[in-house]
Amino acid sequence: MTILHHLDDATVMRYASGDLDEAFAAVVTSHLAMCPECRRAARLAEAVGGELIEACEPASLPAGAFERMMSQIGEIGRPDAPPPKQVARTVAGDVPAPLQRYVGNSLDAIAWRHIAPGVRKHDIALGSKSTGKLYLLNIAPGRAVPEHGHGGSEMTLVLSGAYRDELGRFAAGDIADLDEHVEHQPCVDPDASCICLVATEAPTRFKGVLSRLLQPVFGI
Ligand SMILES: [Zn+2]
């Protein structure tokens, strides 16, 4: 698996500080299970966060801690950077381990709900404190999702298959970590369905009149 699209640095920081809604935390931990590079960044952010918390008085912050973290983050992803440590395989079957408590360990066993031609959805129940939405989408080969913007953040992790949009091609393991300013129109590759795990912060805004009519049908 070659992962080209990773978590935003700000998301890694929020994850490390325990500041993510359950829906987004589920997507982030699922990506981390698939991505050694982001696991390394998250471990680093957690370590530096721990140092910052321990240093109650600013004067006692270990000298150079922040600069050290930034230079290490800068190393990540460079061709000459040391390879990430080998880590235990964390994907069992085709469902990342952190997602298994929500949906079980096989995508074949998911109960899908038909919501539009070529589009099926599976809503995932979250705890009462969560304000986000979490669901799986299963989109047929060659299908386009109506162009849309977001009322808030949207995070999409590809679990199988691939799609392409204005930002590039997203295949298994890739994550689209989008803020409310991004508008895009994903189109699934012609040879296989694409299954994605999606977290949203607020209802997605579709642009066209037909799309807006479809929005209640999509329920997203
Ligand atoms: Zn990553």
Side-chain angles (χ1 to χ4, degrees):
M1 185 187 304
T2 306
I3 296 178
L4 297 176
H5 301 275
H6 296 279
L7 294 167
D8 192 83
D9 286 346
T11 303
V12 173
M13 295 295 174
R14 288 186 68 191
Y15 165 76
S17 62
D19 189 31
L20 285 176
D21 181 85
E22 184 183 357
F24 289 87
V27 180
V28 167
T29 52
S30 295
H31 177 76
L32 291 177
M34 303 166 94
C35 181
E37 193 175 317
C38 286
R39 275 204 297 278
R40 191 165 159 233
R43 275 199 301 268
L44 201 56
E46 281 169 337
V48 173
E51 284 187 23
L52 290 172
I53 288 167
E54 280 171 26
C56 295
E57 293 174 29
S60 63
L61 178 66
F66 183 73
E67 290 76 10
R68 219 164 39 241
M69 179 193 75
M70 293 316 287
S71 75
Q72 283 176 297
I73 285 178
E75 291 293 317
I76 295 170
R78 280 200 201 147
D80 57 348
K85 279 186 201 145
Q86 281 299 316
V87 289
R89 182 177 161 82
T90 47
V91 181
D94 49 8
V95 178
L99 189 59
Q100 291 184 8
R101 73 184 180 95
Y102 293 104
V103 301
N105 61 8
S106 170
L107 293 177
D108 291 336
I110 301 288
W112 296 105
R113 187 164 58 87
H114 175 91
I115 57 168
V119 184
R120 291 180 293 162
K121 187 180 180 210
H122 174 79
D123 289 307
I124 297 171
L126 298 171
S128 56
K129 286 184 185 160
S130 174
T131 56
K133 285 186 176 180
L134 182 65
Y135 51 89
L136 292 166
L137 280 183
N138 184 341
I139 305 170
R143 221 53 229 180
V145 171
E147 186 175 5
H148 60 283
H150 309 109
S153 300
E154 177 186 281
M155 225 181 254
T156 302
L157 173 67
V158 178
L159 299 179
S160 75
Y163 73 83
R164 187 180 287 280
D165 68 8
E166 291 80 345
L167 302 173
R169 183 168 181 271
F170 291 75
D174 283 323
I175 189 160
D177 189 355
L178 307 178
D179 66 24
E180 65 258 49
H181 305 299
V182 175
E183 292 187 343
H184 66 150
Q185 183 164 28
C187 185
V188 172
D189 279 7
D191 53 346
S193 297
C194 182
I195 297 179
C196 299
L197 175 66
V198 185
T200 56
E201 198 171 44
T204 305
R205 297 187 316 266
F206 288 101
K207 284 176 78 186
V209 174
L210 182 60
S211 300
R212 282 205 298 274
L213 289 173
L214 278 172
Q215 183 159 8
V217 182
F218 272 82
I220 55 180

